[in-house]
Amino acid sequence: MFRTHTCGELRIHDVNKKICLAGWVQRIRKMGAMTFVDLRDRYGLTQLIVDQETNAACIETVNKMGREWVIQVQGLVRERSGKNPQMATGDVEIKVEEIKVLNAAATPPFTIEEQTDGGDELRMSYRYLDLRRPPLSRNMQLRHKMAMATRNYLDKQGFLEIETPVLINSTPEGARDFVVPSRMNPGEFYALPQSPQMFKQLLMVSGYDRYFQLVKCFRDEDLRADRQPEFTQIDCEMSFVEQEDILNTFEGLIRYLFKEIKGVEFKEAFRRMSWADAMRYYGSDKPDLRFGMPLVEIKPLTSGRSFNVFEQAEYVGAICAPGSATYTRKQLDELTEYVKRPQIGAKGMVYVRCEADGSFKSSVDKFYNQDDLKAWAEVCKARPGDLILILSGATHATRKALSELRLEMGRRLGLCDKNTYTPLWVIDFPMFEWDEDTARYYAMHHPFTSPKPEDIPLLDQDPAQVRANAYDMVINGVELGGGSIRIHDSQLQAKIFKILGFTEEKAVQRFGFLMNAFKFGAPPHGGIAFGFDRCVSMFAGLDSIRDCIAFPKNNSGRDVMIDAPSAIDQEQLDELQLKILAPKNKE
Amino acid sequence: MFRTHTCGELRIHDVNKKICLAGWVQRIRKMGAMTFVDLRDRYGLTQLIVDQETNAACIETVNKMGREWVIQVQGLVRERSGKNPQMATGDVEIKVEEIKVLNAAATPPFTIEEQTDGGDELRMSYRYLDLRRPPLSRNMQLRHKMAMATRNYLDKQGFLEIETPVLINSTPEGARDFVVPSRMNPGEFYALPQSPQMFKQLLMVSGYDRYFQLVKCFRDEDLRADRQPEFTQIDCEMSFVEQEDILNTFEGLIRYLFKEIKGVEFKEAFRRMSWADAMRYYGSDKPDLRFGMPLVEIKPLTSGRSFNVFEQAEYVGAICAPGSATYTRKQLDELTEYVKRPQIGAKGMVYVRCEADGSFKSSVDKFYNQDDLKAWAEVCKARPGDLILILSGATHATRKALSELRLEMGRRLGLCDKNTYTPLWVIDFPMFEWDEDTARYYAMHHPFTSPKPEDIPLLDQDPAQVRANAYDMVINGVELGGGSIRIHDSQLQAKIFKILGFTEEKAVQRFGFLMNAFKFGAPPHGGIAFGFDRCVSMFAGLDSIRDCIAFPKNNSGRDVMIDAPSAIDQEQLDELQLKILAPKNKE
């Protein structure tokens, strides 16, 4: 061992001990005959002091040293004259007796400190240096602790972690698969799993009763800010349970993680909201409940006043931004521009200022009188000083736009505190989504999701009205996980496949081995999967999942540090009996 | 919840409780008016009893039921009149009051019992049914427990589990990679990791100090009995350590696993043996030390007697099989055939029977007198009643053949007890292996392995003599893991690359980003990786790793249950800009 202690360990009671430390040079300061060196490792920082008068040999070494050199020192722990209460080791320093350079270091291309001067791309190319910075180091330690806590909780609940295969088959349903050509079976391909869905259901058929796995999953999607081609799930499945059992078990997991990791205890049961209510009151299936500002439908109160925009709208909805009546014309114009962005897609925005004196000032004063506006204010529960913002148009699209506006106002009003957590179960999702382009129903969750028993008669009459035993866990507007009770009755499954437009042949081709397995005694079962990267990133207070992943890929799916993907040898292609058709088109 | 208890839970103190169970029908027996049903779940078996006279409705349901049906029962716990001490629940039975069929089951294609009548291929096709059998269920539970224990031990030692990427770059060194075409970067490929070797070394450069990961690795090799294309490693790396620290830390892990999981405590420190001694005394770098029977070199004692086979041999070696002097001519012929098999490759075998009366009987009596044979017996420490078996030829090949013969005799003599464990560190591996075909040195461990400091001067003079700071953990002749101290000095690394015949350009191309990282302050570090599948399989007493993996592949790399790999859509190929050259050649 190159050390007796780590750089985060020494305290006042260690004074006068002879110790040995090893680590990286964070900083060197000369003050007269004294040279101070801050030595860093994963555990912390310790101040070293080298005295030119008593230790000329060491000073010679120190003079050669630079930032990020790896050194080993022997010395005596002393009490500091000027203590540093900001540092865990701030009561002591090491009077260095011997110093040994273990490795020199080139000057890093950016500073390795809490805050860095390095740009995003540069830091990604030198990810191994960026990972030295304390914020990233804390994220990696947090991730480890959360994985351990998750496993400990589930183990105590009788769950078994069972590894499912990574080299499986391509399933055309869902997102695009990454595929892996098979050399031993030329012309054939494995696919990397988008989730272990089928395998965990098979494990239930096998009687494993309670399964979980922290598992890498893969999706070949065009990447957005918060997506990675490989990501990690907490994947779970249980047998002989109903929806209520799953909600309770995994509410328990989330409570446990918050308590163990963040010291946060939730006193009340997690709130539950139907998907229909979430859409009606928040315009989103993952509402952020850290603040109120619900959507209020005011269409009936706007009729008969010849304001064509509202008259022709299927839906007119409002939110009430507290204390924002003072918003200037410029601020209101900004908000209008915000909702008119193509991603949000509103045509315009109407506002009503609820003035302090009880009067109202609106952008539609020409059409609506004070009594009209008062009626709107009343249903919106607006008080003097509040600002009512109104969008109109097709119901679904307008609700979604209002949801974005609500979130924007939440951010502007400072209502999105990162240290407040508002967990929510969204339940009663619709079974099906109708797709106009292909003129067919798609499974909103996945094709094995069970309808609510009381809605089964609706399958024949009006599939769009059928609700599923499906649920999402949402915290602060982030969907952390979701799942469903599965169908275990093969006749019901056949009916669902029919509604989804799968011929029997197609269903067999896609899900044949699972359907076959179900013939041999499938128990009632259901499950859930959490996005582990998202969970860690929420606990770390990050805006992106990237910095809770040690070696993430960029938005083109590249690892710029190792420069992957890359060309492979012709020999490898020949063995796989593959030919590349396009010229290599490297970004 | 569909049950109040599991099928493994009820005991005599539960008598008179109203309970509800759910599970699979294992067996139905009719005895007069009584019908007995054994109900099974992951936790055990419980006997149900249905009384025709008091519960005619239930009997009707029971009469329809068959093996592996999924049912739910309500009833009363009763004390059994005839207790079954073989069953954990054998003191009680359930007097059934209500029975509900949750799912019917087709008759399974083989029996779902401790022992089954199903052939290997059939069971692999219906793996989900085979997984219901108690031996497989026990293996999966063992695997989970071992993974939990491994993580708990390493966590307590300050290791962080850090996930490394699965989509990386192909490295031409080593075994063949599985590759993944990139749609977003046409013509380029990711590769699946054979191990996270480079990433764990980067994490040391990043200062993570103690890293581990239970991680899937991939090798596109022609598969032998005990290989899988995807397998799981316990991958570990530490900084600021020397070989001794790594050996102690991971001896600790193995001790902990044996104690926690099997209740086995090792009293002594794990034995250590140099690679040279392992080869000399056991003809193997993974000797099985459950029994002795070491190789004894007797060439000097065989010279000058005109026996040409021995005269011309580079090496003559013997093992002494205790108490086997009674081996018949037929048995000896069998052994001779055994060593002459192409996999072993001996030309013939010489034996010496040490008779009870102190005389010797040998197959080379024509050339050697009783005194000669006595001299051999003495160095072999043979006693009356023992059998000496002798092979001769080139040193390395003959030692390997003798090793196989030794293991065969160990098996025949019942010396390979599955419940005896003899852990061993094999150390001081050679740095390089000379390959005749390519006329170059290869790294025996990998190119980043550090030579022993005292052997560094030999690098220039005689690379073949240089020993590495590399080590393997061997138990009962199975290599469970191995690792090395890494080179952290870039000049030494450059020298090793040169000996390995890498031009600077080639070294940069292959390992450039790692070599670059090392310029920024690499700490002294080293690590180890254990084959987790092998560890579980040893703890489970299995001969193959296959049955400790939930969904293994067969020897052609196929998952016969889901029929992977398989053809993919032309659309997918087009998106990847790939063309398949050969006609599909499905086995």
Side-chain angles (χ1 to χ4, degrees), chain A residues 1 3 42 103 128 131-132 144 155 158 163 166 176 185 188-190 206 208-209 230 232 245 488 520 522 557-558 575 577 582 587, chain B residues 1 3 42 103 128 131-132 144 155 158 163 166 176 185 188 190 206 208-209 230 232 245 488 520 522 557-558 566 575 577 582 587:
Chain A
M1 206 69 89
R3 63 192 173 197
R42 177 185 118 194
N103 227 334
Y128 48 87
L131 281 169
R132 282 188 191 164
H144 165 71
D155 176 62
E163 294 174 57
V166 176
R176 226 182 256 103
N185 306 276
E188 297 191 328
F189 292 75
Y190 302 100
S206 299
Y208 284 86
D209 205 274
E230 51 179 298
T232 304
D245 304 309
H488 63 277
F520 292 97
R558 294 198 74 82
E575 278 194 326
Q577 308 193 12
E587 282 156 293
Chain B
M1 205 71 86
R3 62 192 174 199
R42 176 184 118 196
N103 228 333
Y128 48 87
L131 280 169
R132 282 187 191 165
H144 166 71
D155 177 63
E163 294 173 58
V166 176
R176 229 182 256 103
N185 306 275
E188 297 191 328
Y190 302 100
S206 300
Y208 284 85
D209 206 276
E230 51 179 298
T232 305
D245 304 309
H488 63 277
F520 292 96
R558 294 199 73 83
S566 62
E575 278 195 324
Q577 309 193 9
E587 279 156 295

Coordinates of all heavy atoms in Angstrom, one line a residue, chain A residues 1 3 42 103 128 131-132 144 155 158 163 166 176 185 188-190 206 208-209 230 232 245 488 520 522 557-558 575 577 582 587, chain B residues 1 3 42 103 128 131-132 144 155 158 163 166 176 185 188 190 206 208-209 230 232 245 488 520 522 557-558 566 575 577 582 587:
Chain A
M1 N 0.9 -1.2 0.0 CA 0.0 0.0 0.0 C 0.9 1.2 0.0 O 1.9 1.3 0.7 CB -0.9 0.0 1.2 CG -2.2 0.7 1.1 SD -3.4 0.0 0.0 CE -4.3 -1.2 1.0
R3 N 0.1 4.2 1.0 CA -0.3 5.2 1.9 C -0.8 4.6 3.2 O -1.2 3.4 3.2 CB -1.5 6.0 1.3 CG -2.7 5.2 1.0 CD -3.7 5.9 0.2 NE -4.8 4.9 -0.2 CZ -5.6 5.1 -1.1 NH1 -5.6 6.1 -1.9 NH2 -6.5 4.2 -1.4
R42 N -9.8 10.8 -4.0 CA -11.3 10.7 -4.0 C -11.9 11.1 -2.7 O -13.1 11.5 -2.6 CB -11.6 9.3 -4.4 CG -13.1 8.9 -4.4 CD -13.3 7.4 -4.6 NE -13.9 6.8 -3.5 CZ -14.0 5.5 -3.3 NH1 -13.4 4.7 -4.2 NH2 -14.6 5.0 -2.3
N103 N 4.3 9.8 -10.5 CA 4.1 10.1 -11.9 C 4.0 11.6 -12.2 O 3.3 12.3 -11.4 CB 2.8 9.4 -12.4 CG 3.1 8.6 -13.7 OD1 4.0 8.9 -14.4 ND2 2.3 7.5 -13.9
Y128 N -11.9 11.5 -18.7 CA -11.2 10.9 -17.5 C -10.6 12.0 -16.6 O -10.4 11.8 -15.4 CB -10.1 10.0 -18.0 CG -9.2 10.5 -19.0 CD1 -8.1 11.3 -18.8 CD2 -9.5 10.2 -20.4 CE1 -7.2 11.8 -19.8 CE2 -8.7 10.7 -21.4 CZ -7.5 11.5 -21.1 OH -6.7 12.0 -22.1
L131 N -13.8 13.7 -14.9 CA -14.3 12.8 -13.8 C -13.5 13.0 -12.5 O -13.9 12.5 -11.4 CB -14.2 11.3 -14.2 CG -15.3 10.8 -15.1 CD1 -14.9 9.4 -15.7 CD2 -16.6 10.7 -14.4
R132 N -12.3 13.7 -12.6 CA -11.6 14.0 -11.3 C -12.3 15.1 -10.5 O -12.0 15.2 -9.4 CB -10.2 14.4 -11.7 CG -9.2 13.3 -12.0 CD -7.8 13.9 -12.2 NE -7.0 12.9 -12.8 CZ -5.8 13.1 -13.3 NH1 -5.3 14.3 -13.3 NH2 -5.1 12.1 -13.8
H144 N -23.5 5.0 -7.1 CA -23.2 3.7 -6.4 C -24.1 3.5 -5.2 O -24.6 2.4 -5.0 CB -21.7 3.7 -6.0 CG -21.3 2.6 -5.0 ND1 -21.3 1.3 -5.3 CD2 -21.0 2.7 -3.7 CE1 -21.0 0.6 -4.3 NE2 -20.8 1.4 -3.2
D155 N -33.9 -6.8 -2.2 CA -33.5 -8.1 -1.6 C -34.3 -8.3 -0.4 O -34.8 -9.4 -0.2 CB -32.0 -8.0 -1.3 CG -31.5 -9.3 -0.6 OD1 -31.6 -10.3 -1.2 OD2 -31.0 -9.2 0.5
G158 N -37.7 -9.8 -0.8 CA -37.7 -11.1 -1.4 C -37.5 -11.1 -2.9 O -37.8 -12.1 -3.6
E163 N -30.1 -12.1 -14.1 CA -29.6 -11.4 -15.3 C -30.3 -12.0 -16.6 O -30.3 -13.2 -16.7 CB -28.1 -11.7 -15.4 CG -27.3 -11.0 -14.4 CD -25.8 -11.4 -14.4 OE1 -25.2 -11.2 -15.5 OE2 -25.3 -11.9 -13.4
V166 N -28.3 -10.2 -23.1 CA -28.1 -8.9 -23.9 C -28.2 -9.2 -25.4 O -28.6 -8.4 -26.2 CB -26.7 -8.3 -23.5 CG1 -26.4 -7.1 -24.4 CG2 -26.6 -8.0 -22.1
R176 N -36.2 1.7 -32.5 CA -35.3 1.0 -33.3 C -34.3 0.2 -32.4 O -33.9 0.7 -31.4 CB -34.5 2.0 -34.2 CG -34.4 1.6 -35.6 CD -33.6 2.6 -36.3 NE -34.4 3.5 -37.2 CZ -34.7 4.7 -36.9 NH1 -34.3 5.3 -35.7 NH2 -35.3 5.5 -37.7
N185 N -23.7 -17.6 -37.4 CA -25.0 -17.8 -38.1 C -25.1 -16.7 -39.2 O -25.8 -15.7 -39.0 CB -26.1 -17.7 -37.1 CG -26.0 -18.6 -35.9 OD1 -26.3 -19.8 -36.0 ND2 -25.4 -18.1 -34.8
E188 N -27.7 -13.7 -40.1 CA -28.6 -13.5 -39.0 C -28.0 -12.5 -38.0 O -26.8 -12.3 -37.9 CB -28.9 -14.8 -38.3 CG -29.6 -15.8 -39.2 CD -30.1 -17.0 -38.5 OE1 -29.5 -17.4 -37.5 OE2 -31.2 -17.5 -39.0
F189 N -28.9 -11.9 -37.2 CA -28.5 -10.8 -36.3 C -29.1 -11.1 -34.9 O -30.2 -11.5 -34.8 CB -29.0 -9.5 -36.8 CG -28.3 -9.0 -38.0 CD1 -28.6 -9.5 -39.2 CD2 -27.4 -8.0 -38.0 CE1 -28.0 -9.1 -40.4 CE2 -26.7 -7.5 -39.2 CZ -27.1 -8.1 -40.4
Y190 N -28.3 -10.7 -33.9 CA -28.9 -10.5 -32.5 C -29.4 -9.1 -32.5 O -29.0 -8.3 -33.3 CB -27.9 -10.7 -31.4 CG -27.2 -12.0 -31.4 CD1 -25.9 -12.2 -31.9 CD2 -27.7 -13.1 -30.8 CE1 -25.2 -13.4 -31.9 CE2 -27.1 -14.3 -30.7 CZ -25.8 -14.5 -31.3 OH -25.1 -15.7 -31.2
S206 N -42.0 -18.8 -15.1 CA -41.1 -19.8 -14.5 C -41.3 -19.8 -12.9 O -40.6 -20.6 -12.3 CB -39.6 -19.5 -14.8 OG -39.4 -19.5 -16.1
Y208 N -40.6 -17.3 -10.7 CA -39.6 -16.6 -9.8 C -40.3 -15.5 -8.9 O -39.6 -15.0 -8.1 CB -38.5 -16.1 -10.7 CG -37.6 -17.3 -11.0 CD1 -37.8 -18.1 -12.1 CD2 -36.6 -17.6 -10.1 CE1 -37.1 -19.2 -12.3 CE2 -35.8 -18.8 -10.3 CZ -36.1 -19.6 -11.4 OH -35.3 -20.7 -11.6
D209 N -41.5 -15.2 -9.2 CA -42.4 -14.5 -8.2 C -42.0 -13.0 -8.0 O -42.8 -12.2 -8.1 CB -42.2 -15.3 -6.9 CG -43.4 -15.1 -6.0 OD1 -43.4 -14.1 -5.3 OD2 -44.3 -15.9 -6.1
E230 N -27.4 4.0 -24.7 CA -27.5 3.0 -23.7 C -27.8 3.6 -22.3 O -27.3 4.7 -22.0 CB -26.2 2.2 -23.6 CG -24.9 2.9 -23.4 CD -23.7 2.0 -23.3 OE1 -23.6 1.3 -22.4 OE2 -22.8 2.1 -24.2
T232 N -29.7 2.8 -18.1 CA -29.9 1.7 -17.1 C -31.2 1.8 -16.5 O -31.7 2.9 -16.2 CB -28.8 1.9 -16.0 OG1 -27.5 1.9 -16.7 CG2 -28.8 0.8 -15.0
D245 N -50.7 -3.7 -5.0 CA -49.5 -4.3 -4.4 C -48.3 -3.7 -5.1 O -47.3 -3.4 -4.4 CB -49.5 -5.8 -4.6 CG -50.8 -6.4 -4.1 OD1 -51.1 -6.2 -2.9 OD2 -51.5 -7.2 -4.8
H488 N -52.7 -12.1 -18.4 CA -52.2 -13.5 -18.3 C -53.2 -14.5 -18.9 O -53.0 -15.7 -18.9 CB -51.9 -13.9 -16.8 CG -53.1 -13.9 -15.9 ND1 -53.6 -12.7 -15.3 CD2 -53.9 -14.9 -15.5 CE1 -54.6 -13.0 -14.6 NE2 -54.9 -14.3 -14.7
F520 N -48.5 -22.6 -20.6 CA -48.1 -23.6 -19.6 C -48.3 -23.1 -18.2 O -47.6 -23.6 -17.3 CB -46.7 -24.0 -19.9 CG -46.5 -24.8 -21.2 CD1 -46.1 -24.1 -22.3 CD2 -46.8 -26.1 -21.2 CE1 -45.9 -24.8 -23.5 CE2 -46.6 -26.9 -22.4 CZ -46.2 -26.2 -23.6
A522 N -49.5 -19.4 -16.7 CA -48.9 -18.1 -16.4 C -49.7 -17.5 -15.2 O -50.9 -17.5 -15.2 CB -49.1 -17.2 -17.6
G557 N -24.5 10.1 -30.6 CA -24.2 8.7 -30.2 C -22.8 8.4 -30.3 O -22.4 7.2 -30.3
R558 N -21.9 9.4 -30.2 CA -20.5 9.1 -30.3 C -19.9 9.2 -28.9 O -20.3 10.1 -28.1 CB -19.7 10.1 -31.2 CG -20.1 10.1 -32.6 CD -19.0 10.8 -33.5 NE -17.8 10.0 -33.5 CZ -17.6 9.0 -34.3 NH1 -18.5 8.7 -35.2 NH2 -16.5 8.3 -34.3
E575 N -15.6 -11.8 -42.3 CA -16.0 -12.9 -41.4 C -17.5 -12.9 -41.2 O -18.2 -13.9 -41.0 CB -15.3 -12.8 -40.1 CG -13.9 -13.4 -40.1 CD -13.4 -13.6 -38.7 OE1 -13.7 -12.8 -37.8 OE2 -12.7 -14.6 -38.5
Q577 N -19.6 -11.6 -43.3 CA -20.2 -11.7 -44.6 C -21.1 -10.5 -44.9 O -22.2 -10.6 -45.3 CB -21.0 -13.0 -44.8 CG -20.1 -14.2 -44.4 CD -20.7 -15.5 -44.9 OE1 -21.6 -15.6 -45.6 NE2 -20.1 -16.6 -44.4
A582 N -22.8 2.3 -48.3 CA -22.5 3.8 -48.5 C -21.1 4.1 -48.2 O -20.4 3.4 -47.5 CB -23.4 4.6 -47.5
E587 N -18.8 12.3 -39.3 CA -19.0 13.7 -39.0 C -17.7 14.4 -38.6 O -16.9 13.8 -37.9 CB -19.9 13.7 -37.7 CG -21.4 13.5 -38.1 CD -22.1 12.9 -36.9 OE1 -21.8 11.8 -36.5 OE2 -23.0 13.7 -36.4
Chain B
M1 N -53.2 -8.6 -3.4 CA -52.3 -9.8 -3.3 C -53.2 -11.0 -3.4 O -54.3 -11.1 -2.8 CB -51.6 -9.7 -2.0 CG -50.3 -10.4 -2.0 SD -48.9 -9.7 -2.9 CE -48.2 -8.5 -1.8
R3 N -52.6 -13.9 -2.2 CA -52.3 -14.9 -1.2 C -52.0 -14.2 0.1 O -51.6 -13.1 0.1 CB -51.0 -15.7 -1.7 CG -49.8 -14.9 -1.8 CD -48.7 -15.6 -2.5 NE -47.6 -14.7 -2.7 CZ -46.6 -14.8 -3.6 NH1 -46.5 -15.9 -4.4 NH2 -45.7 -13.9 -3.7
R42 N -42.1 -20.7 -5.7 CA -40.6 -20.5 -5.6 C -40.2 -20.9 -4.1 O -39.0 -21.3 -3.9 CB -40.2 -19.1 -5.9 CG -38.8 -18.8 -5.7 CD -38.5 -17.3 -5.9 NE -38.1 -16.6 -4.8 CZ -38.0 -15.3 -4.6 NH1 -38.5 -14.5 -5.5 NH2 -37.6 -14.7 -3.5
N103 N -55.2 -19.9 -14.0 CA -54.8 -20.2 -15.4 C -54.7 -21.7 -15.6 O -54.1 -22.4 -14.8 CB -53.5 -19.5 -15.7 CG -53.6 -18.7 -17.0 OD1 -54.4 -19.1 -17.9 ND2 -52.8 -17.7 -17.1
Y128 N -38.1 -21.8 -19.9 CA -39.0 -21.2 -18.9 C -39.7 -22.2 -18.1 O -40.0 -22.0 -16.9 CB -40.0 -20.2 -19.5 CG -40.8 -20.8 -20.7 CD1 -41.9 -21.5 -20.5 CD2 -40.3 -20.5 -22.0 CE1 -42.6 -22.1 -21.6 CE2 -41.0 -21.1 -23.1 CZ -42.1 -21.8 -22.9 OH -42.8 -22.3 -24.0
L131 N -36.8 -23.8 -15.9 CA -36.4 -22.9 -14.8 C -37.3 -23.1 -13.6 O -37.1 -22.6 -12.5 CB -36.5 -21.5 -15.2 CG -35.2 -21.0 -16.0 CD1 -35.5 -19.6 -16.7 CD2 -34.0 -20.8 -15.1
R132 N -38.5 -23.8 -13.8 CA -39.4 -24.0 -12.7 C -38.8 -25.1 -11.7 O -39.2 -25.2 -10.6 CB -40.7 -24.5 -13.1 CG -41.6 -23.4 -13.6 CD -43.0 -24.0 -14.0 NE -43.8 -22.9 -14.7 CZ -44.9 -23.2 -15.4 NH1 -45.4 -24.4 -15.4 NH2 -45.5 -22.2 -16.0
H144 N -28.1 -14.8 -7.1 CA -28.5 -13.6 -6.5 C -27.8 -13.3 -5.2 O -27.3 -12.2 -4.9 CB -30.0 -13.6 -6.3 CG -30.5 -12.5 -5.4 ND1 -30.5 -11.2 -5.8 CD2 -31.0 -12.5 -4.1 CE1 -31.0 -10.4 -4.8 NE2 -31.3 -11.2 -3.8
D155 N -18.4 -3.0 -1.2 CA -18.9 -1.7 -0.8 C -18.3 -1.3 0.6 O -17.8 -0.2 0.8 CB -20.4 -1.7 -0.6 CG -21.0 -0.4 -0.1 OD1 -20.8 0.6 -0.7 OD2 -21.6 -0.5 1.0
G158 N -14.9 0.1 0.6 CA -14.7 1.4 -0.1 C -14.7 1.3 -1.6 O -14.4 2.3 -2.2
E163 N -20.6 2.0 -13.7 CA -21.0 1.3 -14.9 C -20.1 1.9 -16.1 O -20.0 3.1 -16.3 CB -22.4 1.6 -15.3 CG -23.4 0.9 -14.3 CD -24.8 1.3 -14.6 OE1 -25.3 1.1 -15.7 OE2 -25.5 1.8 -13.6
V166 N -21.2 -0.2 -22.8 CA -21.3 -1.4 -23.6 C -21.0 -1.2 -25.0 O -20.5 -2.1 -25.7 CB -22.7 -2.0 -23.4 CG1 -22.9 -3.3 -24.2 CG2 -23.0 -2.3 -21.9
R176 N -12.1 -12.3 -30.7 CA -13.0 -11.5 -31.7 C -14.0 -10.8 -30.9 O -14.6 -11.2 -30.0 CB -13.6 -12.6 -32.6 CG -13.5 -12.2 -34.0 CD -14.2 -13.3 -34.9 NE -13.3 -14.2 -35.5 CZ -13.1 -15.5 -35.1 NH1 -13.7 -15.9 -34.1 NH2 -12.3 -16.2 -35.9
N185 N -23.9 6.8 -37.7 CA -22.6 7.0 -38.3 C -22.3 5.9 -39.3 O -21.6 4.9 -39.0 CB -21.5 7.0 -37.1 CG -21.8 8.0 -36.0 OD1 -21.5 9.1 -36.1 ND2 -22.5 7.5 -35.0
E188 N -19.6 2.8 -39.8 CA -18.9 2.7 -38.5 C -19.6 1.7 -37.6 O -20.8 1.5 -37.7 CB -18.7 4.0 -37.9 CG -17.9 5.0 -38.8 CD -17.4 6.2 -38.0 OE1 -18.1 6.7 -37.1 OE2 -16.3 6.7 -38.4
Y190 N -19.8 0.1 -33.5 CA -19.4 -0.1 -32.1 C -18.9 -1.5 -31.9 O -19.2 -2.3 -32.8 CB -20.6 0.1 -31.1 CG -21.3 1.5 -31.2 CD1 -22.5 1.6 -31.9 CD2 -20.8 2.6 -30.5 CE1 -23.1 2.8 -32.0 CE2 -21.4 3.8 -30.6 CZ -22.6 3.9 -31.3 OH -23.3 5.1 -31.3
S206 N -8.7 8.7 -13.3 CA -9.7 9.7 -12.8 C -9.7 9.8 -11.3 O -10.4 10.6 -10.7 CB -11.1 9.4 -13.3 OG -11.1 9.4 -14.7
Y208 N -10.6 7.3 -9.0 CA -11.7 6.6 -8.3 C -11.2 5.6 -7.3 O -12.0 5.1 -6.5 CB -12.8 6.1 -9.3 CG -13.6 7.3 -9.7 CD1 -13.2 8.1 -10.8 CD2 -14.7 7.7 -9.0 CE1 -13.9 9.2 -11.1 CE2 -15.4 8.8 -9.4 CZ -15.0 9.6 -10.4 OH -15.7 10.7 -10.8
D209 N -9.9 5.2 -7.4 CA -9.2 4.6 -6.3 C -9.6 3.1 -6.1 O -8.8 2.3 -6.0 CB -9.6 5.4 -5.0 CG -8.5 5.2 -4.0 OD1 -8.6 4.2 -3.2 OD2 -7.6 6.1 -3.9
E230 N -21.9 -14.4 -24.1 CA -22.0 -13.3 -23.1 C -21.8 -13.9 -21.7 O -22.4 -14.9 -21.4 CB -23.3 -12.5 -23.2 CG -24.6 -13.3 -23.2 CD -25.8 -12.4 -23.3 OE1 -26.0 -11.6 -22.4 OE2 -26.5 -12.5 -24.3
T232 N -20.5 -13.0 -17.3 CA -20.5 -11.9 -16.3 C -19.2 -11.9 -15.5 O -18.8 -13.0 -15.1 CB -21.7 -12.0 -15.4 OG1 -22.9 -12.0 -16.2 CG2 -21.8 -10.9 -14.4
D245 N -1.4 -6.1 -1.7 CA -2.6 -5.5 -1.3 C -3.8 -6.1 -2.1 O -4.9 -6.4 -1.5 CB -2.6 -4.0 -1.6 CG -1.4 -3.4 -0.9 OD1 -1.3 -3.6 0.3 OD2 -0.7 -2.6 -1.5
H488 N 2.4 1.9 -14.9 CA 1.9 3.3 -14.9 C 2.9 4.3 -15.4 O 2.7 5.5 -15.5 CB 1.4 3.8 -13.5 CG 2.4 3.8 -12.5 ND1 2.8 2.6 -11.8 CD2 3.2 4.8 -12.0 CE1 3.7 2.9 -10.9 NE2 4.0 4.2 -11.0
F520 N -1.5 12.3 -18.0 CA -2.0 13.4 -17.1 C -2.0 12.9 -15.6 O -2.9 13.4 -14.9 CB -3.4 13.8 -17.6 CG -3.4 14.5 -18.9 CD1 -3.7 13.8 -20.0 CD2 -3.2 15.9 -18.9 CE1 -3.7 14.5 -21.3 CE2 -3.2 16.5 -20.1 CZ -3.4 15.9 -21.3
A522 N -1.1 9.3 -13.9 CA -1.6 8.0 -13.6 C -1.1 7.5 -12.3 O 0.2 7.5 -12.1 CB -1.3 7.0 -14.8
G557 N -24.0 -20.6 -30.2 CA -24.3 -19.3 -29.9 C -25.8 -18.9 -30.1 O -26.2 -17.7 -30.2
R558 N -26.6 -19.9 -30.1 CA -28.1 -19.7 -30.4 C -28.8 -19.7 -29.1 O -28.6 -20.6 -28.2 CB -28.7 -20.7 -31.3 CG -28.2 -20.7 -32.7 CD -29.1 -21.4 -33.7 NE -30.3 -20.6 -33.9 CZ -30.4 -19.6 -34.8 NH1 -29.3 -19.3 -35.5 NH2 -31.5 -18.9 -34.9
S566 N -31.6 -14.1 -35.6 CA -32.5 -14.3 -36.6 C -32.3 -13.3 -37.7 O -31.6 -12.3 -37.6 CB -33.9 -14.3 -36.1 OG -34.2 -13.0 -35.6
E575 N -31.3 0.9 -43.5 CA -31.0 2.0 -42.6 C -29.5 2.0 -42.2 O -28.9 3.0 -41.9 CB -31.9 2.0 -41.4 CG -33.3 2.6 -41.6 CD -34.0 2.9 -40.3 OE1 -33.8 2.1 -39.4 OE2 -34.7 3.9 -40.2
Q577 N -27.3 0.7 -44.0 CA -26.5 0.7 -45.2 C -25.5 -0.5 -45.3 O -24.4 -0.4 -45.6 CB -25.7 2.0 -45.3 CG -26.6 3.3 -45.1 CD -26.0 4.6 -45.5 OE1 -24.9 4.6 -46.1 NE2 -26.6 5.7 -45.2
A582 N -23.4 -13.4 -48.1 CA -23.6 -14.8 -48.3 C -25.1 -15.1 -48.3 O -25.9 -14.4 -47.7 CB -22.9 -15.6 -47.2
E587 N -28.5 -23.0 -39.5 CA -28.2 -24.4 -39.1 C -29.6 -25.1 -38.9 O -30.5 -24.5 -38.3 CB -27.5 -24.4 -37.8 CG -26.0 -24.2 -38.0 CD -25.4 -23.6 -36.7 OE1 -25.7 -22.5 -36.4 OE2 -24.6 -24.3 -36.1

